[in-house]
Amino acid sequence: MTAQHFSTLNQQKQNRKLIAEGVCIADRKSEEVQTLLFQVENFYVEVCFHCDADEVLCTRCFEDTAELEPYLQTIDLSRVI
């Protein structure tokens, strides 16, 4: 599956794919929105949730690792040997 194919799936099928095959690798949080980053096969999926309403606001797929930049500051490398 590609990121483009994933983005054509409806929300329910995307959720099933994320649960079955996705690995949550990072997250970010603002006052109202939490964003979870999943790796699925050879692409990434961001899922944005509204914190108070507990609902999905948007889902975004990408393959370019340059788009991981917002998450790099949150990675703790102190335990890496």
Side-chain angles (χ1 to χ4, degrees), residues 18-72:
L18 287 176
I19 291 168
E21 300 178 32
V23 176
C24 187
I25 58 174
D27 68 336
R28 297 183 291 152
K29 191 171 184 179
S30 67
E31 287 184 32
E32 296 182 8
V33 177
Q34 180 173 14
T35 304
L36 300 178
L37 176 68
F38 293 86
Q39 182 174 5
V40 181
E41 296 183 19
N42 61 343
F43 61 94
Y44 302 93
V45 179
E46 281 185 323
V47 181
C48 301
F49 296 91
H50 189 280
C51 294
D52 294 333
D54 200 26
E55 67 179 285
V56 174
L57 299 174
C58 65
T59 302
R60 184 175 79 93
C61 305
F62 58 92
E63 295 175 346
D64 187 356
T65 57
E67 297 197 49
L68 298 174
E69 180 67 33
Y71 299 95
L72 296 180

